[in-house]
Amino acid sequence: MFRTIFTLSALAAGLLSSSVMAAPTEDIAPRPDARAADARAADRDTVLVAQNDDFDVYYDGRGNRVIVDTETGQVLAIQPPQTRFDRRALRRERLRNLGPVEDDRYYLDDPEDMARLRRRQLEEEGLIVIPPVDEVDPYGDPVDAFPEAPLDGGNYGNNYPRTIKRQPLNEAAIEPVEPTAPGDQAALPPKIDGKIVVDPSLSLGARQEVAALQVLLDRAGASPGVVDGRFGSNVDKALAAYNEITGSNLRSTDVVGIQAALEQSGGDAFASYNITPEDAAGPYVASVPEDYGQKAQLERLSYTSVTEALAERFHMDENYLKALNPEANFNRPGTIIKVANFGRLVATPVARIIADKVKKQVRAYDASGKLIAAYPATIGSADTPSPTGTHAVSRVALDPNYTYNPNINFRQGENNKILTIPPGPNGPVGSVWIALDKPTYGIHGTPDPSKIGKTESHGCVRLTNWDARELAKIVSPGVTVEFID
């Protein structure tokens, strides 16, 4: 009896506990129709989160932002443009609502402060301000930082750069500077305590001092070859010719004498030059091939760069021109550069020419037998020696073609046919050909002016392009050319 009563009591207690525990669940859980309504409300205000938060954002043709689940490809949301937040507009509105800030200090030595000050000034003036990098919205609309295209067919008015017509580069493009001191005797450097004080930039060993000497020699007609600021055999030969031409006894170590002679002959050794649109326009070639067969396929063997063209115009080594102007943009018209002020070209007619094979120099004399010009030269080689004896100039050609004939002269590479090489300063004979009465021989220019007097030729007499051009203007058919050993 007791066991029966205990069992019934335990059963009644279990039913009561089950009822109490189930009651809260029944009161909290919503009805099915209420659950559906809440879900629809949530869909209107929120965006479904993709699996693992991995989703892509696209834009359709109407500007709507489409958010797609990367894993399933399901479209999660479509946001029309007018429903998206304009973060820049909100930011500007927030700044306007803040109003002026009292005691808004900007420190001049703080770059960030100055940047904020400039931005604030631009905003106050109503100008478009590109937001800083750290505030750019990567998914927002891009800032219109550039002006709209013109609506009149592309006419930008008279301020648009004009079309540049390519012109050949002229020799002796700058006029020599007039002497700075009046009278025949130029002013010498000042004296302190009875001693002459020389500009430190002209001290011995400075490359610019050597270049100044080279410019002085060039002015007198005693060409040192390229102006490169370096001593060498070409400078030594030119200095000897300079003393013969001028009747002086100048030494390469006479810094004061060199400076005085520069003042008397045209002023400073260097001048400023403004790069023109024609200089930048060229025409130029990308590169000059070594093979004659490939050269023959080109239209013209022009300069390869502005620096090469300007270096030849001002009788300079290309690398030295760049070293003098390390920050210059040679391809931009209006750039001012420092160049050699070599002065005027020799104009006295030539009556006789000597090609000295030992000194590697060409010397030109007038009708009275006076030396008027001297040029470093490459004259023949052991395999293809230059002529001997006395010959005469037969004709002069500027900017000539070159006929390559392996059956008569030398053979270049695998080219065994006659080729016509187009004209240009980078052609085999440069920009000048002074033909001699001995067939296939002549005096001509070179595409490598820095190698003159230091390498060999194929039997002809090779000068720098500017020296060959100067000689071509003062020589005429019939002038004798004597080759001496």
Side-chain angles (χ1 to χ4, degrees):
M1 181 67 181
F2 178 77
R3 185 181 301 116
T4 302
I5 294 174
F6 179 77
T7 301
L8 291 175
S9 300
L11 178 61
L15 292 174
L16 180 61
S17 175
S18 301
S19 176
V20 173
M21 293 180 64
T25 304
E26 184 178 355
D27 291 342
I28 294 175
R31 293 185 302 272
D33 55 344
R35 185 182 300 107
D38 291 342
R40 287 193 297 270
D43 287 342
R44 290 194 301 267
D45 299 332
T46 62
V47 176
L48 293 176
V49 178
Q51 299 176 9
N52 299 324
D53 295 339
D54 193 3
F55 57 88
D56 293 329
V57 179
Y58 301 91
Y59 291 87
D60 62 16
R62 297 183 179 180
N64 296 320
R65 178 185 290 170
V66 182
I67 302 177
V68 179
D69 190 312
T70 303
E71 296 293 333
T72 64
Q74 179 184 1
V75 176
L76 302 179
I78 299 177
Q79 298 177 337
Q82 63 271 17
T83 64
R84 299 201 302 270
F85 289 125
D86 187 340
R87 298 186 181 183
R88 289 186 300 279
L90 293 175
R91 190 160 49 247
R92 290 192 294 268
E93 183 66 22
R94 184 170 63 254
L95 292 175
R96 282 195 294 267
N97 293 336
L98 291 177
V101 180
E102 296 184 0
D103 196 23
D104 191 3
R105 299 178 181 178
Y106 298 94
Y107 296 93
L108 299 180
D109 58 349
D110 188 338
E112 295 184 0
D113 269 11
M114 297 310 300
R116 289 192 300 106
L117 176 60
R118 180 57 180 162
R119 287 175 54 203
R120 177 179 177 181
Q121 292 173 341
L122 292 176
E123 290 177 354
E124 292 176 352
E125 295 172 3
L127 301 177
I128 297 177
V129 181
I130 300 176
V133 176
D134 58 348
E135 296 183 13
V136 172
D137 180 4
Y139 299 106
D141 299 328
V143 178
D144 186 13
F146 300 96
E148 295 182 359
L151 302 178
D152 56 353
N155 182 17
Y156 284 87
N158 296 329
N159 293 330
Y160 194 75
R162 61 186 177 87
T163 301
I164 302 302
K165 182 179 180 181
R166 293 179 172 178
Q167 300 290 340
L169 295 174
N170 297 322
E171 180 73 3
I174 61 172
E175 293 295 329
V177 180
E178 295 298 328
T180 56
D184 296 331
Q185 179 63 37
L188 295 177
K191 293 184 177 182
I192 299 178
D193 296 332
K195 298 182 179 180
I196 295 180
V197 179
V198 181
D199 186 342
S201 65
L202 297 177
S203 60
L204 292 178
R207 292 185 60 184
Q208 190 160 321
E209 178 268 332
V210 179
L213 171 61
Q214 292 173 320
V215 171
L216 173 64
L217 301 176
D218 201 4
R219 287 180 183 177
S223 172
V226 294
V227 175
D228 59 1
R230 296 179 183 275
F231 280 116
S233 59
N234 287 347
V235 174
D236 295 338
K237 292 181 292 188
L239 182 58
Y242 172 87
N243 288 331
E244 182 177 348
I245 293 172
T246 62
S248 59
N249 189 27
L250 185 67
R251 295 174 299 171
S252 61
T253 56
D254 186 1
V255 179
V256 175
I258 293 171
Q259 181 67 20
L262 283 169
E263 295 296 338
Q264 291 176 347
S265 62
D268 292 340
F270 296 92
S272 296
Y273 177 73
N274 196 318
I275 295 178
T276 67
E278 290 75 14
D279 295 333
Y284 301 107
V285 294
S287 62
V288 178
E290 293 291 335
D291 184 78
Y292 277 21
Q294 296 177 6
K295 290 180 189 287
Q297 298 176 12
L298 299 178
E299 180 180 352
R300 180 176 174 81
L301 295 172
S302 304
Y303 294 114
T304 59
S305 64
V306 178
T307 53
E308 183 185 24
L310 293 179
E312 287 218 357
R313 179 186 297 182
F314 296 107
H315 305 184
M316 302 176 69
D317 175 73
E318 184 178 359
N319 291 329
Y320 187 56
L321 174 65
K322 294 178 181 178
L324 281 180
N325 304 276
E327 304 297 329
N329 183 350
F330 290 92
N331 297 314
R332 183 179 63 193
T335 300
I336 299 176
I337 59 175
K338 186 177 183 179
V339 297
N341 182 18
F342 60 85
R344 302 182 186 276
L345 302 179
V346 176
T348 305
V350 174
R352 181 171 66 99
I353 295 174
I354 291 181
D356 193 326
K357 300 180 183 179
V358 176
K359 290 186 177 180
K360 297 183 178 181
Q361 186 180 47
V362 168
R363 297 190 291 274
Y365 299 84
D366 63 9
S368 66
K370 183 180 184 300
L371 179 65
I372 58 174
Y375 312 105
T378 296
I379 307 175
S381 65
D383 295 333
T384 53
S386 60
T388 58
T390 301
H391 299 271
V393 173
S394 61
R395 62 186 177 87
V396 177
L398 300 179
D399 206 25
N401 290 323
Y402 174 73
T403 301
Y404 165 74
N405 190 341
N407 301 321
I408 298 177
N409 289 332
F410 62 96
R411 178 170 177 173
Q412 195 269 340
E414 299 299 325
N415 296 295
N416 55 10
K417 298 180 180 180
I418 298 176
L419 300 172
T420 299
I421 310 298
N426 273 314
V429 297
S431 57
V432 176
W433 173 256
I434 303 174
L436 302 181
D437 56 8
K438 184 176 178 62
T440 72
Y441 287 92
I443 303 172
H444 60 81
T446 179
D448 298 308
S450 295
K451 296 181 180 180
I452 289 297
K454 304 171 184 178
T455 56
E456 297 178 335
S457 72
H458 295 293
C460 292
V461 179
R462 186 183 299 166
L463 311 177
T464 66
N465 279 335
W466 56 87
D467 287 342
R469 185 175 292 271
E470 179 182 84
L471 181 61
K473 292 181 179 179
I474 57 179
V475 76
S476 57
V479 170
T480 59
V481 180
E482 181 182 359
F483 290 84
I484 61 174
D485 294 319

